[in-house]
Amino acid sequence: MTIHNETPLAEPTAVERDASSSTQHHAPAAPAAMQSSDAAPPAAQSPVIPAIEPVTPAAAESTPAAEAAQPATATPEAAAQPAVPTSPVTVTVTNIATAKPERKNLAEVIVVTSGKGGVGKTTTSASLACGLARYGKKVVVIDFDVGLRNLDLIMGCERRVVYDFVNVINNECNLRQALIKDKRFENLFVLAASQTRDKDALTKEGVEKILNDLGDDGFEYIVCDSPAGIEKGAFLAMYFADRAVVVVNPEVSSVRDSDRILGLLSSKTRRAERGERVKEHLLLTRYSPKRVETGDMLSIKDVQEILGLDVVGVIPEAPEVLQSSNSGEPVILDMNSDAGQAYDDAVARLLGEKRPLRFTTVEKKGFFNKLFGG
């Protein structure tokens, strides 16, 4: 008779029971060799520690990343189905390194233009620039009449011109070196034209860069004094314009040339290329109500009907205009003259102010003026 001496098992503690339960739920199954029924039970059961099973190559291959990397095996059902044709996909790649986003000019560009010469474009450019500066705006006025500059004379800064418009375009100086600060207004500057070059020295890229740099420098208004005609200088002066002041003498030839300019403004400017329109204003100069009454001059209504523009100003014919130009003082600074007051009204209308037209009718003489020849 064989007597087995069995040692009684100790009662497991709470920690051992929790560890055993965790092993049963989360530990992987032991290999078949370790689950043999011939193994003898241990003499005393120690605390159960969950075993960490090493990852075998077979287990590593069954991970989701590995399954995604392996090519799918076609089943007989999938092989029996016809292949679905796929259409080619066209991908457009934009080279960001070479693409140049268009800079938006922060300043408003106003071109003073007219097809006919001698109608008062430069006088108007100087007066508008001074008027805007007097309203507190930061303004620069640019002379586009390369080879025949006159703006510096009317602005009274002809002796202070060191660098000009073309020098800046050719990178012979920087923009700040070429700008001439007005002595009357701290917020007014002049960029003179070259007197020794021709208009072919101007380039569209160069003009655009200067206008953008002026906008970045805090200028609110850029007044472009256009030369007469429709050649390159006049084209570049109007190409980047946001607004246009069309200067017209109330005579047939001037009106016809201005009509040609309106056609270019609506078709050859950057705004026209974008499907937009340049805001156009009509400015009549050398207007004489007496000659209109006698039929020697077109009336305001006649010019409006021909050109189809709103009148921003009517400048009366006055000797002060010539006197101011010769003295280097824009006529708008002479507020005692009719022409100076008329230009001030025009500037106010450009800024959105509503003012009635003045100096457009013949002044009626009173009884005593007629009697004493006043």
Side-chain angles (χ1 to χ4, degrees):
M1 180 176 180
T2 305
I3 300 174
H4 296 280
N5 185 14
E6 294 180 358
T7 305
L9 296 176
E11 182 70 15
T13 63
V15 175
E16 293 173 350
R17 286 196 298 270
D18 292 344
S20 177
S21 175
S22 174
T23 304
Q24 293 175 4
H25 285 82
H26 300 288
M34 298 177 62
Q35 297 177 1
S36 175
S37 58
D38 297 335
Q45 191 166 0
S46 60
V48 180
I49 300 175
I52 300 176
E53 190 174 3
V55 180
T56 61
E61 292 178 358
S62 63
T63 60
E67 292 177 358
Q70 293 180 354
T73 303
T75 60
E77 293 80 1
Q81 295 179 357
V84 179
T86 59
S87 58
V89 179
T90 304
V91 179
T92 304
V93 179
T94 303
N95 192 347
I96 302 178
T98 59
K100 296 182 179 180
E102 183 179 348
R103 292 171 61 187
K104 181 175 178 58
N105 194 354
L106 302 178
E108 185 171 12
V109 181
I110 302 176
V111 60
V112 180
T113 182
S114 177
K116 191 175 184 297
V119 297
K121 290 186 298 296
T122 302
T123 300
T124 299
S125 298
S127 293
L128 294 182
C130 288
L132 290 169
R134 191 159 59 188
Y135 274 90
K137 308 298 182 181
K138 189 175 182 181
V139 187
V140 58
V141 55
I142 305 176
D143 192 350
F144 274 80
D145 198 356
V146 177
L148 295 171
R149 74 181 187 206
N150 288 311
L151 179 64
D152 57 320
L153 290 172
I154 296 179
M155 293 295 295
C157 60
E158 68 277 4
R159 296 184 180 181
R160 299 166 56 200
V161 177
V162 179
Y163 295 106
D164 54 52
F165 196 10
V166 177
N167 292 138
V168 182
I169 290 180
N170 293 337
N171 294 320
E172 298 168 356
C173 68
N174 60 48
L175 182 58
R176 291 181 178 271
Q177 289 177 295
L179 289 176
I180 304 171
K181 187 175 182 179
D182 187 76
K183 293 182 177 181
R184 296 161 292 240
F185 302 98
E186 293 184 354
N187 51 335
L188 175 59
F189 294 81
V190 179
L191 183 56
S194 173
Q195 207 168 9
T196 59
R197 311 284 183 93
D198 57 18
K199 294 176 176 60
D200 291 334
L202 298 178
T203 63
K204 184 187 293 186
E205 295 76 13
V207 173
E208 182 180 18
K209 183 180 184 304
I210 290 177
L211 296 180
N212 287 332
D213 289 345
L214 289 170
D216 295 340
D217 203 24
F219 283 93
E220 298 172 81
Y221 289 94
I222 302 173
V223 180
C224 301
D225 180 23
S226 172
I230 54 175
E231 35 58 58
K232 188 174 183 180
F235 167 73
L236 290 177
M238 74 172 67
Y239 181 76
F240 299 99
D242 300 306
R243 283 206 259 182
V245 176
V246 183
V247 183
V248 182
N249 285 166
E251 58 183 38
V252 175
S253 61
S254 177
V255 173
R256 183 177 66 176
D257 290 349
S258 298
D259 190 45
R260 170 67 172 150
I261 292 296
L262 292 177
L264 296 176
L265 288 170
S266 62
S267 60
K268 297 295 184 179
T269 60
R270 183 169 63 176
R271 280 184 169 266
E273 294 173 355
R274 297 173 177 172
E276 303 172 357
R277 186 171 180 85
V278 177
K279 178 64 177 174
E280 300 150 345
H281 307 277
L282 173 63
L283 183 76
L284 282 169
T285 56
R286 296 180 179 173
Y287 190 78
S288 174
K290 290 182 179 180
R291 297 178 65 185
V292 171
E293 282 191 350
T294 59
D296 296 332
M297 183 177 286
L298 295 175
S299 66
I300 300 173
K301 185 178 180 181
D302 294 335
V303 179
Q304 278 185 297
E305 289 178 352
I306 296 172
L307 299 180
L309 298 180
D310 294 331
V311 177
V312 73
V314 177
I315 312 303
E317 192 171 19
E320 292 84 4
V321 176
L322 182 59
Q323 295 169 5
S324 298
S325 299
N326 291 335
S327 63
E329 290 281 333
V331 69
I332 194 174
L333 301 179
D334 183 8
M335 292 302 292
N336 294 323
S337 66
D338 293 347
Q341 296 176 43
Y343 270 120
D344 186 69
D345 290 344
V347 173
R349 295 187 191 100
L350 284 176
L351 294 175
E353 200 175 317
K354 294 187 179 297
R355 291 191 183 183
L357 291 175
R358 297 190 285 173
F359 318 112
T360 59
T361 57
V362 178
E363 184 180 353
K364 302 298 183 181
K365 292 184 178 182
F367 173 77
F368 290 101
N369 288 333
K370 292 180 180 179
L371 184 62
F372 296 103

